[in-house]
Amino acid sequence: MENSALSDRIRLPFSFDVPAMQQDLNLIEALSLDWIDHFVQQNYEGSWSVIPLRANAGAVHPIKMIYSDPTSDEYVDTPFLAPCQTFKSVLGTFQAPLLSARLMKLGKGSKIKEHRDYDLNPDGGTVRIHVPVITNPAVDFRLNGQRVIMQEGECWYLRLSDPHSVSNAGPDRIHLVIDMKANDWVLDLLRGH
């Protein structure tokens, strides 16, 4: 199967411990870490913010840490990941070179406008995985105009080089968003779902 023939959305065969992930989230927030506003402000309305768990090597300022640079191959764990054993375990599930990993929060009443992340597809060499940590039924995630319903603890591949948008009419939605190289392990996983 060619990569271009893959579905634009695939629920992967992993389920993660929701209470343990939420404990890690609470631990990070208890450290008085402020969420960082997403810097691509033209892509959203309301509140969309990030905590970086893996970042470009050499990025020391939190704002630089939240950028997933498609030209960079050198990513390292941030200090924010250090106390988070469950998030470390989730990241350890993937047998591929990890790039960025971020907690991404979409606030109540906020919207991510339809856009494309052109570099995020297997043919481009990078895939993005979503793991909902906190979500609600009022989240409306659209990919190619069709709704994708993702439950807490599930693991999803989404081809985000295609048009996608999100609106959240409920309480904060927080996903662990992981970018990784599309190596043979990842491609086999996507083809064999």
Side-chain angles (χ1 to χ4, degrees):
M1 176 190 303
E2 293 295 319
N3 295 338
S4 56
L6 291 171
S7 174
D8 65 352
R9 70 204 67 199
I10 300 171
R11 182 175 171 197
L12 300 176
F14 307 113
S15 292
F16 299 109
D17 185 332
V18 173
M21 287 193 299
Q22 291 175 352
Q23 272 189 317
D24 273 6
L25 175 63
N26 291 338
L27 180 61
I28 289 174
E29 291 182 327
L31 295 172
S32 300
L33 178 66
D34 291 330
W35 288 83
I36 303 159
D37 289 338
H38 198 290
F39 53 86
V40 187
Q41 295 180 348
Q42 67 269 21
N43 279 3
Y44 67 96
E45 297 172 1
S47 173
W48 189 24
S49 52
V50 182
I51 293 176
L53 301 180
R54 285 185 55 80
N56 284 306
V60 292
H61 193 282
I63 291 177
K64 290 195 179 247
M65 287 181 182
I66 68 172
Y67 176 53
S68 181
D69 183 352
T71 65
S72 176
D73 284 337
E74 193 175 350
Y75 281 78
V76 296
D77 294 349
T78 72
F80 311 120
L81 180 61
C84 300
Q85 297 308 310
T86 302
F87 288 141
K88 286 180 188 175
S89 176
V90 171
L91 295 176
T93 301
F94 302 99
Q95 299 171 33
L98 297 181
L99 304 174
S100 71
R102 301 168 290 175
L103 293 168
M104 302 188 81
K105 177 168 67 171
L106 188 64
K108 181 177 182 176
S110 299
K111 296 178 182 179
I112 301 172
K113 300 174 187 176
E114 187 174 82
H115 68 286
R116 301 173 120 182
D117 299 298
Y118 288 97
D119 53 317
L120 293 175
N121 66 70
D123 292 325
T126 304
V127 297
R128 179 165 287 170
I129 304 297
H130 275 247
V131 178
V133 178
I134 295 174
T135 193
N136 67 78
V139 171
D140 187 358
F141 192 112
R142 298 275 166 167
L143 177 57
N144 289 314
Q146 296 182 334
R147 190 169 186 195
V148 182
I149 299 174
M150 296 177 271
Q151 303 296 331
E152 292 174 355
E154 293 179 350
C155 183
W156 286 82
Y157 157 75
L158 303 165
R159 189 175 60 228
L160 299 180
S161 58
D162 291 355
H164 59 284
S165 63
V166 191
S167 66
N168 180 21
D172 290 348
R173 181 214 76 164
I174 300 174
H175 282 194
L176 173 58
V177 178
I178 309 161
D179 290 355
M180 65 189 72
K181 289 291 185 184
N183 67 1
D184 288 342
W185 181 87
V186 170
L187 296 175
D188 288 346
L189 179 68
L190 297 180
R191 292 174 185 141
H193 74 281

